[in-house]
Amino acid sequence: MASTSTFRLREAARVPLFPPDDAQTYLDMSYPSASAIAGKGVHGRTLDDDIAYWDTQVAEADAELAASSKLLPSLLEETQAEIQRFLEDAQSLSLQRYALSDKLSSLLQELSSDAADRGNDEAGVERRRTVLEEMEELQRGIDQLQAGLAWVTMLENVLVLSEKVLDPAAHRPSPLAAVPHFRALDDAVYDMEATLPGGMAILDVVRDTRRATWDALKGVMADNLVKASEALRWPRKVDYPSVPPPQRRAFERAFVDLLYLQNEGEHLGIEEPGTTSWTDGRGLYPLQALVRPIELRFKYHFQGTRGTNRLDKPEWAFANLLDMLYEHRDFFEDYIKPLSARAGYDVDVQSELTLLLFPLALNLLRSRIPHLLPHPALLAHTVYQTIVFDDALRSRGFDLGATSLYKGETSEIGEWEGLAGIVLREEGWFNKWLQGERKFADGQLNGILSSSEAWAISDDTNEKEPVRATSSARQIKALVEQITDRYAPLPAATYKLPFVSTQLGLLDAYRARIAASLDAFETLSSAFVRAVPGALAGNTRGGIQADQARLTGGVHGLQRLVKAWFSAAYVRAALVGWADELLFVELSDELATTPYLSSAYRLPSVAPGQSVFDAAVAAYGALAARAEDMVVRHLSAAVEGDLKPYLTRRWDAAAPAAADAADELADDAETRALGEHAPALLAAADTWAALLAALDAIPPAPALRIYRRAATQIAHHVAQRAVFAGWSKYTAHGGDELHAAVRRLVASSGSGLRAVLDAHGHGHGHDAVDVNVNVIERPWRELQAAAALLRLPSEAGKAGSAAPMDARDAKNAKDAKDEPTFSQAMAAAWTGGAPLDRFAARVGVEMGADAMQAVLRRRVECWR
């Protein structure tokens, strides 16, 4: 039965209640054991109850199934219809979604300018503004209108305050009564500056309005002062004591009111001392007003159609301003200065008036100079007159630091550059002026060098220039000093150094011209030219053969060299003097501390402590030394050439037979003493004297130096050719002739050199003559000593010739027994020591043993 129940239970528990596995599971769970099957299961039912329960459930399910099956077709139809409706709705919603998406994309394109631009670019149509852009533009317009309204409101406030300041009703009893209104205006502007951003344009507008209001108020008060000054007959010279007291009070009240207004402007920051340039025409308010009538008269005379407006006469305009300053000096010092001090402005009123007149002169120069640029001469004249005007103001005590422009300024103002500094800063003006000055200087230099009197030695001397010089040297110095005068007052070294470069160029060109003349002299006087006349090209002019010997020989050639020496020495002395002047000391320091300036202006490098002229001084010194060397060579060569026949003779001839008394009286004793070759010696002596006399233009000191050098060279030449030459052997008679020749040359030296000293007033008096004798004989001492030794007699009492002994011989040999002899000379020379000294003293020579031995060996009697 149990199995039957189980079977039935399983049948009852078949699908759809439980799947087979689940039914078995249910049974296993409800009846886990056999006892449970006999009794009650887990659910509290027996197996039969449980079967009945499930049968009931099956019946109910079948009934429900039948009912459901009956209703299922209609429900399926309804469900299908409903699903179809839902599908249609879904399709409709999908279409609506795509439409909304497209609409949304279109709206986004209209809102986005980038998208609209791309769309329009792709479509090739003109871009249309988006709604958002239109809304933003409208909003900006609203903001601008609101800002404009605010600006207009603020401007209205500022303009209303400005009108109150300028309202004539607010100027009673004085325009100073309007100052409180201006303070309100200034406060309004200050509040706007503190509130609004700094870059807003309205701030510039209100600041300009404030400034214009201030200038208008100042103009009203300036008009009052100008009107009051008419009673003083301003701008003519003022006789203030003769003005009636009411008019004087009106003038003083208007003057002081303007100063109070200026003080208020400085307190409010409208006027700040030291913030403007001295060329702007700013200064004391009342003086600005008083300058207005002066400006009208100045423009009438010098910037109009009057005959006084001449481009070549800028000095007329400057003189007018200087006269104006001079005429009103007393009035300003006696009355205007106290009025200014009473209002708190203790300034130099004369300098203040000068400061306010500068714009008149500057405007005149700026209007004229552009027309003068094509005319270098007029431009240079105008700039020079401007410099002269600046110098005149400085000499009258103009002090820029004592003006109101620098009131309270603690920093160093520096040196006033003058109107010339302002004018020369204009682009191209300074270079044009410099070019004009250089062209003028070059023209002057060419004119100086091409003049027929260029190398003539001038006789004009004075305390500043006691030395004579050539005309060209004096003119070159004057030209350089003229250029210095033009640029010395310029304000900065950068303006002065180009002119220094011009001056050095002129000096170098002049030096080169002198050097070229010396080169030509050396070329024409060379041995080649003397041997082959006409060998050099250029020695003829116009088919006329030039006499080269005349050009370079004798006194004429010496004078050419002396002129070159004079020119070089004179310019060198001038350069040394310029180097010590303050102007060039300052410029040299500037070049030493700023080395790049030397290369920038083509100037020589200057070390600390040196001068910019040092190189030129050295160059001219070398040129003068070269000219002096050539003078010495010219002197010695001329004399040596004339001496050649005399020095190549024989000196060992025996003394001639004694002539009778009548013949001796008839013959010239000096000529007879010189021997048969006397004409050659006399010619050389005369040439020597004439050449020395030709040095009379040279000052004594260099003339004596040249003489010493030339005489030493000639004496050395005579000693080498006549005494120590290989062929020269002497007898006592030959020594006498040599002694006479030397004495003749010394005498010629004395006559020529005394002519030089007499020309300068140094050859008069016994003392002067003694000094000259000592100076004259010094270069010949060694040759005189050699001649004295060579003329010694072989034995005492036997002279070499009938030539008389000179004063020195008579002094050293009082009688024949004491006369020194050649034998004694040899003994002393080869013994040396004290015997040599005693013998040299007896003969009157100063010579060592070796030198004396060398001379004595030239005597034929010398066996050593």
Side-chain angles (χ1 to χ4, degrees):
M1 181 171 178
S3 60
T4 304
S5 300
T6 301
F7 175 78
R8 289 175 61 192
L9 180 61
R10 287 179 176 176
E11 286 293 328
R14 66 179 182 271
V15 182
L17 292 177
F18 296 102
D21 293 338
D22 291 343
Q24 185 178 355
T25 301
Y26 174 78
L27 290 176
D28 292 340
M29 290 176 58
S30 299
Y31 305 98
S33 63
S35 60
I37 294 175
K40 293 183 178 182
V42 177
H43 298 289
R45 293 188 297 269
T46 63
L47 182 59
D48 293 333
D49 293 339
D50 205 7
I51 293 172
Y53 172 77
W54 285 108
D55 286 339
T56 305
Q57 291 293 326
V58 170
E60 291 177 358
D62 290 338
E64 290 178 359
L65 178 60
S68 298
S69 297
K70 185 179 179 179
L71 295 174
L72 182 60
S74 60
L75 292 174
L76 289 174
E77 291 178 359
E78 292 178 1
T79 300
Q80 187 175 3
E82 191 68 21
I83 291 173
Q84 186 65 33
R85 186 174 59 81
F86 284 152
L87 287 175
E88 293 175 357
D89 291 342
Q91 292 176 352
S92 176
L93 291 174
S94 177
L95 293 175
Q96 291 179 4
R97 180 179 70 82
Y98 286 121
L100 289 174
S101 178
D102 293 340
K103 183 65 175 177
L104 181 61
S105 298
S106 176
L107 292 175
L108 288 175
Q109 289 179 355
E110 292 180 359
L111 291 174
S112 174
S113 59
D114 293 338
D117 289 340
R118 289 195 298 270
N120 291 329
D121 291 340
E122 294 173 358
V125 298
E126 184 179 357
R127 178 183 177 275
R128 183 173 58 86
R129 291 189 303 170
T130 65
V131 176
L132 182 60
E133 289 176 341
E134 292 180 354
M135 293 178 64
E136 290 176 348
E137 183 179 0
L138 292 174
Q139 184 62 43
R140 286 196 299 268
I142 293 173
D143 294 340
Q144 291 176 356
L145 290 175
Q146 291 177 345
L149 179 60
W151 286 11
V152 169
T153 303
M154 289 185 289
L155 286 176
E156 180 185 13
N157 183 36
V158 170
L159 293 175
V160 168
L161 292 174
S162 176
E163 290 177 356
K164 288 183 179 179
V165 173
L166 302 179
D167 187 2
H171 297 172
R172 297 190 182 95
S174 168
L176 286 177
V179 170
H181 297 298
F182 186 84
R183 290 175 182 167
L185 172 62
D186 184 69
D187 292 340
V189 175
Y190 179 79
D191 292 341
M192 293 176 66
E193 291 175 336
T195 303
L196 299 177
M200 297 190 70
I202 189 174
L203 294 178
D204 294 333
V205 174
V206 297
R207 291 191 192 106
D208 293 343
T209 302
R210 177 179 60 181
R211 182 74 224 188
T213 304
W214 182 261
D215 291 340
L217 179 60
K218 184 178 74 171
V220 171
M221 301 180 69
D223 292 339
N224 293 340
L225 178 61
V226 172
K227 184 177 180 179
S229 68
E230 293 176 357
L232 279 61
R233 303 186 65 191
W234 179 266
R236 285 181 259 182
K237 188 174 182 179
V238 177
D239 184 9
Y240 201 64
S242 64
V243 179
Q247 283 80 2
R248 290 175 57 176
R249 285 194 295 269
F251 173 79
E252 293 173 2
R253 182 169 57 251
F255 190 95
V256 173
D257 284 351
L258 271 172
L259 290 177
Y260 287 152
L261 181 68
Q262 184 168 6
N263 189 25
E264 181 69 21
E266 293 174 0
H267 176 71
L268 295 175
I270 305 298
E271 299 288 353
E272 297 182 11
T275 58
T276 58
S277 172
W278 59 269
T279 62
D280 293 341
R282 297 295 183 91
L284 292 182
Y285 282 1
L287 295 190
Q288 291 183 39
L290 293 178
V291 166
R292 283 159 51 180
I294 298 177
E295 180 180 7
L296 292 176
R297 294 183 63 182
F298 186 84
K299 289 182 177 180
Y300 173 74
H301 286 288
F302 304 106
Q303 290 180 276
T305 58
R306 300 279 295 178
T308 50
N309 182 18
R310 291 178 54 177
L311 293 178
D312 61 333
K313 295 295 182 180
E315 59 269 27
W316 289 358
F318 294 138
N320 178 268
L321 296 178
L322 292 174
D323 291 344
M324 187 71 62
L325 292 171
Y326 178 77
E327 285 181 357
H328 298 302
R329 186 178 188 88
D330 294 339
F331 172 60
F332 270 65
E333 290 295 330
D334 296 341
Y335 300 101
I336 299 300
K337 186 176 180 63
L339 283 177
S340 302
R342 187 193 312 170
Y345 289 90
D346 190 8
V347 298
D348 184 352
V349 291
Q350 191 71 12
S351 295
E352 189 78 17
L353 179 60
T354 305
L355 175 72
L356 296 173
L357 292 178
F358 284 150
L360 306 184
L362 279 175
N363 291 336
L364 176 69
L365 292 172
R366 285 169 175 160
S367 63
R368 284 188 176 185
I369 289 182
H371 302 287
L372 301 178
L373 295 179
H375 308 283
L378 290 179
L379 177 62
H381 177 67
T382 300
V383 175
Y384 178 70
Q385 290 300 326
T386 304
I387 295 173
V388 171
F389 178 67
D390 292 340
D391 267 354
L393 294 179
R394 291 188 184 96
S395 65
R396 294 190 180 192
F398 173 70
D399 184 6
L400 186 62
T403 62
S404 63
L405 190 64
Y406 293 95
K407 179 183 178 183
E409 184 73 16
T410 57
S411 60
E412 185 178 356
I413 299 173
E415 184 180 1
W416 177 56
E417 61 181 337
L419 298 181
I422 299 297
V423 170
L424 297 178
R425 281 206 305 268
E426 297 288 342
E427 184 177 1
W429 290 5
F430 175 74
N431 290 332
K432 283 288 187 180
W433 176 43
L434 181 61
Q435 291 173 5
E437 290 292 345
R438 284 175 175 171
K439 184 177 180 181
F440 170 78
D442 291 340
Q444 290 292 103
L445 176 64
N446 293 332
I448 292 171
L449 296 180
S450 61
S451 172
S452 59
E453 301 295 328
W455 306 107
I457 298 178
S458 174
D459 294 331
D460 297 335
T461 58
N462 50 53
E463 295 181 357
K464 294 183 179 180
E465 296 181 351
V467 181
R468 298 165 64 185
T470 60
S471 297
S472 62
R474 289 187 183 276
Q475 291 173 357
I476 287 294
K477 179 185 178 184
L479 177 59
V480 172
E481 291 177 343
Q482 180 182 0
I483 296 174
T484 302
D485 292 339
R486 287 182 176 273
Y487 72 80
L490 294 179
T494 53
Y495 296 134
K496 300 175 184 178
L497 292 177
F499 286 94
V500 177
S501 178
T502 300
Q503 290 174 311
L504 291 178
L506 292 175
L507 294 170
D508 188 65
Y510 186 64
R511 182 192 60 78
R513 177 65 178 82
I514 299 174
S517 67
L518 295 180
D519 293 338
F521 187 93
E522 287 181 332
T523 302
L524 293 174
S525 60
S526 66
F528 173 73
V529 173
R530 290 196 301 268
V532 187
L536 291 178
N539 61 351
T540 60
R541 178 177 297 177
I544 301 175
Q545 184 73 23
D547 186 357
Q548 296 165 354
R550 180 180 178 276
L551 291 175
T552 60
V555 174
H556 185 78
L558 178 64
Q559 289 177 345
R560 295 185 65 187
L561 295 175
V562 169
K563 292 174 182 178
W565 179 88
F566 262 123
S567 301
Y570 182 82
V571 176
R572 182 189 179 279
L575 284 167
V576 172
W578 294 333
D580 293 334
E581 293 181 3
L582 179 60
L583 169 65
F584 296 109
V585 170
E586 293 176 348
L587 291 178
S588 299
D589 291 342
E590 187 78 19
L591 290 172
T593 55
T594 315
Y596 78 90
L597 292 176
S598 298
S599 58
Y601 296 105
R602 299 179 181 179
L603 293 170
S605 299
V606 178
Q610 294 182 347
S611 171
V612 68
F613 290 126
D614 282 353
V617 170
Y620 271 94
L623 185 62
R626 180 189 175 192
E628 183 175 317
D629 292 342
M630 293 180 67
V631 169
V632 172
R633 289 200 302 270
H634 184 82
L635 293 172
S636 60
V639 177
E640 290 168 6
D642 290 346
L643 283 174
K644 185 176 181 180
Y646 190 78
L647 298 180
T648 55
R649 51 163 290 188
R650 295 180 62 88
W651 301 93
D652 55 355
D660 56 27
D663 293 337
E664 185 174 348
L665 291 175
D667 294 338
D668 183 8
E670 183 180 10
T671 303
R672 184 171 179 273
L674 292 173
E676 59 180 335
H677 299 284
L681 187 282
L682 293 175
D686 292 342
T687 298
W688 175 236
L691 292 175
L692 286 178
L695 299 177
D696 58 348
I698 300 179
L704 292 175
R705 182 175 65 247
I706 292 173
Y707 163 74
R708 284 194 300 269
R709 294 180 59 192
T712 301
Q713 187 169 338
I714 294 172
H716 179 74
H717 175 77
V718 172
Q720 294 299 318
R721 298 298 296 262
V723 179
F724 298 107
W727 68 81
S728 59
K729 285 291 184 176
Y730 281 82
T731 60
H733 174 70
D736 278 334
E737 290 185 348
L738 177 63
H739 183 269
V742 173
R743 186 167 53 188
R744 183 68 178 88
L745 290 174
V746 172
S748 297
S749 300
S751 62
L753 194 57
R754 284 193 180 90
V756 175
L757 299 177
D758 290 343
H760 296 274
H762 294 279
H764 302 289
H766 297 290
D767 295 338
V769 172
D770 292 339
V771 172
N772 291 339
V773 168
N774 186 37
V775 171
I776 291 169
E777 292 187 352
R778 187 177 297 124
W780 306 94
R781 292 280 171 79
E782 294 183 3
L783 185 59
Q784 286 176 325
L789 293 174
L790 292 174
R791 72 186 294 250
L792 291 174
S794 300
E795 299 177 3
K798 293 183 178 181
S801 69
M805 298 181 67
D806 56 16
R808 185 181 292 107
D809 295 333
K811 180 179 180 181
N812 293 331
K814 296 180 181 179
D815 51 45
K817 294 181 179 180
D818 294 333
E819 183 180 4
T821 64
F822 181 75
S823 300
Q824 296 172 353
M826 288 187 61
W830 270 270
T831 301
L836 175 64
D837 295 338
R838 287 194 297 271
F839 182 81
R842 289 177 60 195
V843 180
V845 298
E846 295 180 2
M847 189 176 294
D850 293 338
M852 187 175 292
Q853 292 173 12
V855 173
L856 294 177
R857 285 192 177 99
R858 311 315 299 172
R859 283 285 292 265
V860 294
E861 299 97 323
C862 182
W863 51 270
R864 307 192 68 162

